[in-house]
Amino acid sequence: MAKAPVLTPQDKDFPRWYQDLIGKAELADNGPVRGTMVMRPYGYALWERMQQELDARIKAAGARNAYFPLFIPESYLSREAEHVEGFAPELAVVTHGGGKRLEEPVVVRPTSETIVNEYFAKWINSYRDLPLLINQWANVVRWEMRPRVFLRTTEFLWQEGHTAHASYEEARDYAARIHREVYADLLRNVLAIDVVLGRKSPAERFAGAINTLTLEGMMRDGKALQLGTSHELGQNFAKAFDTRYLGADGTQQLVWQTSWGASTRMVGGLIMSHGDDHGLRVPPRLAPVQAVVLAVKGDDAVLAAVRESAARLREAGVRVETDERADIPFGRRAVDWELKGVPVRVEIGPRDLADGTATLVRRIPGGKQPVALAALPELLPGLLEEDQARLLHESRARREARTTEVSTVEEAAEAAAAGGWARIPWARLGPEGEARLARDAVSVRVLVAADGSVPVSDDAPGTVAVVGRAY
């Protein structure tokens, strides 16, 4: 009788595969309240690496970290009508505290534009205070109707940036800089996801924004996942909160603003972009553990070689961990590390040690080979970079192979139903065609220029809509 697979095969049931992997790779568990999650240490380690990489890029773009309260007075949200209308179905509202009904209900933070603007209006007085570039790492709450771990949870972790500028052009350029130098750089060069950059259609735009820039990745089942957004807010919030500055010419002027964010949804995107039927495959530049050195047996000589090899790899700049758990069968330990997607396993047993070698197992391309122990520190960094490039190439090849050029709404819907994306001229689709696609659960994921760049406006000549089904 054939042995049952560790995970449900992707081609049999992709959502079940996703849930199986999250559990068996020890990434997360469902929380006690519907739609919440508990991130387990390995899942949090993945997020922590993303956070570190994002934080460095955000600071390089000039923003500084701050923190704003979790509770927001309900009256703040009511000041920007379009914004509150967009978030109204998802709000969690506190009406009682300390055993008493509150005089004014408070909203548990769904996003921070309103409370940030309350303080920007205090802090900004003259043009010398601009630009004001703030980021915060926080949790937010949005009451999801169809939760899924990492992808859509009632509470999730993220960063949200908020900036104020003296001109429209400066705000526009900064939003584009975050889009390109922070999010696109992270997703392509660290997470190895070949995202498509562009604009959201007016119907998909962030509530209260005049433009939303997005990054869309194709998952292994052909669906799209939005992995980060950067918004031009114009002067909508500045008007609502009277956020003005004294210009160099002596006149009072409203600021121009941006906001931008990326969340733990990226962990879900990582899983669905690179995972296979054996588990995760973590890009080496992201991996909390790039190599694990396993003792096949627990004798003293093997354990000493395991520790020495790990120390030499650390000196070579490899993030490494040892597995000396001889009381657990070796095969089970190997499967556990395979599920977690650690890029390289270095397996050392008595026979390997006698030959002065180790068995090198590469998770991303697969396969194993004997390697001299002395050669490991010089060999591994290059192999890790090869595997990083391989994942990005696979991501790009999958998207290109499953994207179809079409000219009608019907063809676009067929391409999405077949498990891929369609590219259709926006002039042929338009808002009416977008509404027709929505009836089949197909959405416009991103608007791009004909050459694949970000269009200067929604209706720029040659603009193409990329459509598909999405998470």
Side-chain angles (χ1 to χ4, degrees):
M1 184 175 178
K3 187 177 180 181
V6 176
L7 303 173
T8 301
Q10 290 184 357
D11 60 3
K12 182 178 180 181
D13 188 337
F14 194 83
R16 174 49 56 191
W17 166 84
Y18 178 78
Q19 291 300 131
D20 284 354
L21 179 51
I22 286 172
K24 293 185 178 179
E26 299 180 341
L27 301 179
D29 212 337
N30 290 316
V33 175
R34 181 182 179 276
T36 62
M37 67 174 171
V38 175
M39 294 179 70
R40 300 187 66 176
Y42 189 63
Y44 193 83
L46 291 170
W47 169 242
E48 200 167 34
R49 286 282 305 140
M50 294 176 190
Q51 185 183 38
Q52 290 165 0
E53 294 281 354
L54 265 175
D55 197 58
R57 286 164 174 77
I58 289 167
K59 286 172 179 170
R64 294 181 297 171
N65 287 337
Y67 186 79
F68 293 83
L70 175 69
F71 296 126
I72 300 173
E74 191 175 50
S75 59
Y76 284 16
L77 274 81
S78 65
R79 294 191 208 175
E80 215 294 322
E82 185 180 352
H83 185 67
V84 71
E85 183 180 348
F87 279 95
E90 302 173 340
L91 296 182
V93 182
V94 179
T95 59
H96 289 73
K100 298 179 181 179
R101 176 174 285 276
L102 301 177
E103 290 185 12
E104 179 184 356
V106 296
V107 174
V108 182
R109 173 176 56 215
T111 181
S112 297
E113 279 76 11
T114 58
I115 195 164
V116 166
N117 273 277
E118 176 73 12
Y119 287 87
F120 274 18
K122 290 183 177 183
W123 299 341
I124 296 169
N125 294 298
S126 86
Y127 68 93
R128 297 182 183 87
D129 299 321
L130 298 174
L132 181 55
L133 313 175
I134 294 292
N135 177 65
Q136 78 164 341
W137 291 95
N139 61 338
V140 295
V141 171
R142 298 178 185 174
W143 217 257
E144 289 285 352
M145 296 298 103
R146 294 179 296 278
R148 186 174 296 182
V149 174
F150 289 120
L151 301 179
R152 290 188 178 276
T153 47
T154 297
E155 178 190 9
F156 56 88
L157 305 180
W158 76 342
Q159 59 73 213
E160 50 177 317
H162 302 273
T163 71
H165 305 264
S167 70
Y168 161 74
E169 290 79 11
E170 187 180 292
R172 176 201 62 198
D173 292 348
Y174 194 79
R177 181 181 180 186
I178 294 294
H179 187 223
R180 182 180 63 254
E181 296 181 13
V182 176
Y183 298 145
D185 185 67
L186 173 85
L187 289 162
R188 287 175 174 163
N189 295 321
V190 180
L191 272 66
I193 300 175
D194 190 50
V195 287
V196 175
L197 281 67
R199 302 167 67 98
K200 282 292 189 186
S201 67
E204 294 284 333
R205 192 178 289 156
F206 179 70
I210 62 171
N211 181 34
T212 290
L213 301 172
T214 185
L215 304 99
E216 302 288 324
M218 179 185 281
M219 304 297 101
R220 287 170 73 91
D221 63 349
K223 287 186 178 180
L225 186 68
Q226 177 182 291
L227 288 160
T229 49
S230 184
H231 314 289
E232 297 173 39
L233 301 179
Q235 294 180 311
N236 292 342
F237 289 91
K239 291 174 183 174
F241 287 82
D242 199 30
T243 312
R244 299 176 182 271
Y245 70 97
L246 183 66
D249 62 357
T251 63
Q252 288 286 332
Q253 301 175 40
L254 292 168
V255 298
W256 297 82
Q257 293 183 264
T258 78
S259 68
W260 25 277
S263 75
T264 39
R265 173 181 284 201
M266 289 195 300
V267 180
L270 175 80
I271 296 167
M272 295 193 298
S273 289
H274 301 314
D276 62 18
D277 285 347
H278 301 289
L280 277 173
R281 294 188 303 162
V282 182
R285 292 181 189 170
L286 176 73
V289 180
Q290 294 174 313
V292 59
V293 187
L294 287 88
V296 177
K297 300 288 184 181
D299 64 61
D300 291 344
V302 167
L303 292 176
V306 164
R307 293 164 190 162
E308 181 184 352
S309 296
R312 292 177 65 227
L313 287 172
R314 258 184 224 106
E315 289 176 2
V318 177
R319 292 187 291 277
V320 64
E321 191 167 312
T322 63
D323 186 339
E324 305 174 18
R325 300 171 297 165
D327 56 331
I328 298 175
F330 174 76
R332 177 179 166 186
R333 288 186 285 139
V335 168
D336 284 347
W337 288 111
E338 188 170 51
L339 281 166
K340 286 181 165 61
V342 171
V344 171
R345 297 201 310 271
V346 178
E347 300 172 353
I348 303 176
R351 291 181 183 176
D352 302 296
L353 196 56
D355 295 335
T357 65
T359 300
L360 181 68
V361 185
R362 293 170 67 183
R363 177 69 182 90
I364 291 162
K368 57 177 66 179
Q369 65 187 94
V371 174
L373 284 170
L376 286 170
E378 184 177 352
L379 180 66
L380 252 61
L383 294 182
L384 292 170
E385 281 301 298
E386 283 181 21
D387 292 349
Q388 178 79 29
R390 182 185 296 267
L391 284 178
L392 181 62
H393 173 77
E394 287 182 8
S395 176
R396 180 179 300 118
R398 176 175 61 248
R399 176 178 58 78
E400 290 176 349
R402 299 177 73 169
T403 299
T404 306
E405 300 286 341
V406 303
S407 58
T408 68
V409 176
E410 290 73 23
E411 289 172 338
E414 288 173 8
W421 292 0
R423 283 169 46 97
I424 180 171
W426 177 241
R428 293 198 177 189
L429 182 66
E432 183 179 339
E434 184 176 17
R436 286 167 59 192
L437 286 175
R439 294 196 287 268
D440 294 323
V442 178
S443 58
V444 174
R445 302 313 309 158
V446 58
L447 299 178
V448 299
D451 63 359
S453 63
V454 179
V456 296
S457 65
D458 302 334
D459 55 358
T463 297
V464 174
V466 180
V467 309
R469 291 183 173 165
Y471 285 96

